[in-house]
Amino acid sequence: MKNTRMKGAKMFIEVEKLKKMFVTFSSALLLLVLVLSSGCVNDGREAKVDPNNGLIINEFSVSPDFVEKGDEIEVYLEVENVGWTTASKVSANLYGWSWGGAGTKNLGILRPPDISNDPPTPGDFDAKTWILTAPELPEGTKTTYTLTGRVTYNYKSTGVAQILAYNEDEYNRRREKGEELIGDVVVDNSYGAPIKIGVTGEYPLKVDLDESTDEVVYRIFFNNVGDGVPITDGRDGKIKGTIWLQGDAEFADCLGVSGGKRINIEDQVTLHRGESVKKACGIKLKKSDWSAIPEGTISLIFDMNYDYYIEAQATITAVGG
């Protein structure tokens, strides 16, 4: 009878242990499911964002950097999306090496960080490796080669410039009330875009009702604020896109285009590294439209698409023997 009680007690203990193990396993499994579903699992990287660059090169290195004939050299390049827009057609090239192995590497599409998560999810990154072989050099020779890693990608920039406008009567009423009628055009640019827009000119705009039409000129600045250069259609500095005019107005000799509300940017703008290009943009307003409109907003909407490249450099020292 005593043995039966002892066996029963042992069985009860074992059952309780199994229950606890099941509860622990279930809790761990539930936690894993919750973490996975919340999108919080990543490779340990912290999300990085850059207001002026879509992609950045995290690392470009060579190993070893001191070689002799026949030595194997590993070239490593790592790139990450730190903007707010998807980068497509991403590719990497290696320049400065003439002995083979420096072909193009395709990286495809790299998505931006997801800032809607808490903490934010890092943007996509990719890494590529080239394997090179050190060349034969004459005995006693020592020379240094500079390698350039270039990453090219397709990207998009958007911007909106808001111009507040009053017809002449409303403008005079506000001035008589003592309002300060001097300000700057407000421009919103997409975050992380290397090409950004600026607009300056009369603000707020007064529409002259004494003339059949009133024309005003604004200055549009195309700014390359990123660390690289546009290279659209294989041409350094080229960008493409459209400018839309929204509101009771039309273009009047804006980037060489008169009439209508849309301009296709094709060959009018060339931007090299760190450059800013200024263009005149005329806007025409009709008296018949604005005589009954005391105030309104005229918007310039920019939608630009372009290829862009960034570069990094590393050196290899080779000796002959």
Side-chain angles (χ1 to χ4, degrees):
M1 190 73 175
K2 183 177 180 182
N3 288 337
T4 301
R5 289 197 193 97
M6 290 180 65
K7 288 180 179 179
K10 288 181 178 179
M11 184 177 294
F12 176 80
I13 293 172
E14 293 298 322
V15 170
E16 289 300 309
K17 286 182 178 179
L18 287 172
K19 286 182 178 179
K20 290 180 179 179
M21 289 174 62
F22 178 78
V23 171
T24 302
F25 175 78
S26 299
S27 300
L29 181 61
L30 177 61
L31 179 61
L32 178 61
V33 170
L34 289 173
V35 171
L36 287 171
S37 64
S38 66
C40 294
V41 172
N42 56 47
D43 55 9
R45 295 181 297 129
E46 291 186 2
K48 293 189 287 188
V49 292
D50 189 313
N52 297 324
N53 285 287
L55 300 186
I56 61 170
I57 296 174
N58 285 333
E59 181 179 346
F60 181 64
S61 59
V62 296
S63 180
D65 58 4
F66 192 91
V67 295
E68 297 177 343
K69 172 191 172 183
D71 285 349
E72 186 176 271
I73 308 161
E74 182 177 290
V75 182
Y76 178 84
L77 181 145
E78 182 181 297
V79 61
E80 181 175 354
N81 192 332
V82 295
W84 281 12
T85 303
T86 296
S88 61
K89 300 178 182 178
V90 185
S91 63
N93 286 91
L94 184 63
Y95 298 113
W97 192 255
S98 304
W99 297 275
T104 299
K105 306 286 186 180
N106 292 314
L107 290 77
I109 294 174
L110 296 179
R111 293 165 299 182
D114 188 349
I115 60 170
S116 64
N117 287 331
D118 187 17
T121 304
D124 286 347
F125 88 104
D126 204 347
K128 297 296 179 184
T129 301
W130 291 267
I131 303 298
L132 311 178
T133 302
E136 181 179 0
L137 297 174
E139 184 178 8
T141 302
K142 178 181 177 182
T143 189
T144 298
Y145 302 98
T146 298
L147 301 185
T148 299
R150 174 183 288 189
V151 175
T152 304
Y153 60 100
N154 182 261
Y155 214 63
K156 186 175 183 178
S157 293
T158 57
V160 180
Q162 304 280 16
I163 302 169
L164 180 62
Y166 300 125
N167 71 17
E168 188 175 13
D169 293 338
E170 180 64 21
Y171 186 93
N172 291 334
R173 278 194 293 268
R174 290 175 177 267
R175 186 180 59 182
E176 289 169 2
K177 288 167 60 177
E179 289 188 19
E180 185 175 355
L181 298 173
I182 298 176
D184 297 316
V185 179
V186 177
V187 183
D188 292 312
N189 282 283
S190 51
Y191 193 93
I195 306 299
K196 286 186 166 56
I197 295 297
V199 177
T200 63
E202 184 180 344
Y203 189 93
L205 173 60
K206 182 180 74 169
V207 183
D208 191 350
L209 298 179
D210 294 331
E211 304 292 335
S212 58
T213 60
D214 191 14
E215 293 186 13
V216 62
V217 175
Y218 284 84
R219 294 173 293 275
I220 299 176
F221 295 85
F222 296 87
N223 304 305
N224 182 5
V225 298
D227 294 334
V229 180
I231 190 170
T232 310
D233 296 335
R235 198 178 85 193
D236 259 28
K238 181 178 179 179
I239 64 172
K240 299 170 74 172
T242 59
I243 307 175
W244 295 86
L245 184 60
Q246 195 175 71
D248 290 286
E250 64 179 31
F251 289 119
D253 193 12
C254 181
L255 278 75
V257 175
S258 292
K261 292 177 173 287
R262 174 186 171 121
I263 295 173
N264 290 319
I265 303 171
E266 184 64 35
D267 295 310
Q268 301 97 319
V269 180
T270 301
L271 277 174
H272 296 291
R273 191 183 305 272
E275 281 189 346
S276 178
V277 173
K278 179 172 59 178
K279 297 291 183 178
C281 184
I283 297 176
K284 181 188 296 184
L285 306 107
K286 293 182 181 180
K287 173 182 176 180
S288 57
D289 292 340
W290 282 88
S291 59
I293 304 174
E295 65 178 275
T297 300
I298 297 169
S299 300
L300 289 167
I301 302 171
F302 301 85
D303 189 353
M304 295 170 291
N305 189 280
Y306 47 88
D307 293 336
Y308 197 85
Y309 71 81
I310 52 176
E311 294 179 329
Q313 293 185 324
T315 59
I316 299 172
T317 300
V319 296

